[in-house]
Amino acid sequence: CYSDGKIILNRTICRLSPRLISFIVFHELLHMRFRNHGREFREAIRRRFPDYRDINRSFRLYGLRLLGD
């Protein structure tokens, strides 16, 4: 998410599972409210995706990392 609110998604995410795509979109939209990965951001992620650690493990299989454990 850019400071002007623009979100650009790489088209290769289409190859991911719907669950991972949902996480990426939510993650980017959440940056419109929280500009970093601080406590409030992480809490919002956990509320929407209680299995976020499993999701992060899946991303690592693809060589991606979006949110620290």
Side-chain angles (χ1 to χ4, degrees), residues 1-39:
C1 179
Y2 291 93
S3 60
D4 65 358
K6 185 187 303 183
I7 296 174
I8 297 176
L9 300 173
N10 187 312
R11 63 182 162 184
T12 59
I13 70 166
C14 293
R15 297 177 185 165
L16 301 175
S17 72
R19 181 77 171 154
L20 296 181
I21 293 170
S22 294
F23 183 88
I24 290 170
V25 171
F26 183 79
H27 178 273
E28 293 305 320
L29 289 172
L30 199 56
H31 274 305
M32 296 178 114
R33 184 168 181 195
F34 306 108
R35 291 293 183 196
N36 57 44
H37 292 162
R39 183 182 54 82

